[in-house]
Amino acid sequence: MSNKMWGGRFAAGPDAVMEAINASIDFDRRLWMQDIAGSKAHAAMLAETGILTAEDVAAITHGLDTIASEIESGSFNFSTALEDIHMNVEARLAELIGPAAGRLHTGRSRNDQVATDFRLYVRDALDRLDAALAGLQGALAEKALKHHDAVMPGFTHLQAAQPVTFGHHLLAYVEMTARDRGRITDARKRLNESPLGAAALAGTSFPIDREMTAKALGFDRPTANSLDSVADRDFVLETLSAMSIMAVHLSRFAEEIVIWSSAQFGFVHLSDAWTTGSSIMPQKRNPDAAELVRAKTGRVFGATIGLMTVMKGLPLAYSKDMQEDKEPFFDALDAAELMVAAMTGMVSDMEPNRETMQAAAGAGYSTATDLADWLVRALDLPFREAHHVTGRIVDLAAQSGRDLDDLALEEMQAIEPKITAEIFAVLGVDNSVKSRVSYGGTAPANVKAQAEAWLARLKA
Ligand code: ARG
């Protein structure tokens, strides 16, 4: 049997493989709500402009509402032969209300229809993701406030560099997440134009009102060029790009959780709710959720590069290639939402082991910079010379397997005679972090103020 939507010049139906490669209903059914909302807005406009009669549009609207409740309740029968969500809905509408259903598609094409549906879907996704990221920021800022003065090693090259506070480290991710949210806001702004009424590619001869449908669907305005309207998937690419950078951030944090919760580091403890055991090794508490956040980053990147590749080189306007925009997006979105939820859960759950972190913060001569700075401040040595003197003192401590504050004053004076006992005040890690009062620095007072400011901002 030929297709009843477009089968006028077709005598026979498609080959089974043709149907399999062509159908998108298995994944684009996720757009059902947006598809029905778009159709209702289009129908209302067709009535308002006198293109359709009020009676026809009342029947169409009522039928669309019935379909929405059928899909919602699970009683709707999706058909692969009907290819996609648009034709599934329209065919059911014809069953429900008869010939008036055939008038809904006046002045519209599936090309502008799918572009509209998908924009609406991605817009909702951006809003959800933004809210979830705000939740993550809240969890981070709460934990940062609680541990604004917990000293831990700050790393460069994953080598202990200088002591920082745990709160400061967590707030770094609040800043990264703020930029992720900024990208989401930007993407949403550019996305929010309505392609509905661009029709197949050239616009339509019917006196449609695109401002009206744009407004009804919450868009800021209609898109300005009908060819671009049906050919554009920037809104998907931008969202995937924003999600990719977000995933970079989450994967870095996930990796740190994996490292921190290892027995060798022992910086943080995750409860039973956020770890798994091993079927053979009873001692294990594995940070699976963090590992999977790290791994799911691959899906998000994959979707991004995949759709870039689909879109590159496509001539205007619509090509069926573009149907391949949805599956990877849905997959990446599902992954991204799980990733944010898992990170938020782990952040709230994790308890730092303050003593272990404090001890680690002092290891590896992490206050050597404080020593050098003191030589500059108290003795007026040029920094380069102070660096050299400090190097010799560190070497002395290392040779005898001691920490810097275990050295005797006389030993240090043998290297630089002007050194006084005041130097011991800067050799401990607590004093080190307390001294980092420059704006954005790790001093506990700074960290507390920043955490409080974030919590206030997030509440507002
Ligand atoms: N299922 C299609 C898609 O997702 C809808 C648009 C089809 N348009 C067409 N001219 N065949 O892109």
Side-chain angles (χ1 to χ4, degrees), residues 110-179:
R110 275 190 295 153
N111 296 348
D112 59 336
Q113 192 179 356
V114 72
T116 305
D117 293 2
F118 206 21
R119 278 190 195 233
L120 291 171
Y121 189 94
V122 175
R123 191 176 70 187
D124 285 350
L126 287 170
D127 290 344
R128 278 205 311 278
L129 209 52
D130 186 59
L133 288 173
L136 173 61
Q137 287 182 304
L140 286 162
E142 293 276 359
K143 194 106 316 182
L145 182 59
K146 188 169 170 198
H147 299 290
H148 68 277
D149 58 352
V151 180
M152 69 180 279
F155 297 93
T156 61
H157 314 266
L158 197 56
Q159 310 277 325
Q162 293 175 358
V164 296
T165 73
F166 187 60
H168 196 54
H169 196 113
L170 296 182
L171 288 182
Y173 285 100
V174 175
E175 297 293 332
M176 290 147 90
T177 306
R179 293 194 294 275

Side-chain angles (χ1 to χ4, degrees), residues 6 22-24 27-28 31 83-86 109-112 114 233 318-326:
W6 42 258
N22 205 33
S24 53
F27 48 89
D28 69 15
L31 301 177
E83 208 179 307
D84 58 23
I85 184 65
H86 324 295
S109 152
R110 275 190 295 153
N111 296 348
D112 59 336
V114 72
R233 290 295 181 271
Y318 176 85
S319 296
K320 194 63 175 256
D321 307 53
M322 291 163 66
Q323 178 168 283
E324 288 289 313
D325 57 357
K326 292 171 206 69

Side-chain angles (χ1 to χ4, degrees), residues 47 52-62 97 100 103:
L52 294 192
T53 65
E55 299 78 73
D56 279 348
V57 170
I60 289 170
T61 304
H62 185 256
I97 70 165
R103 299 186 187 277

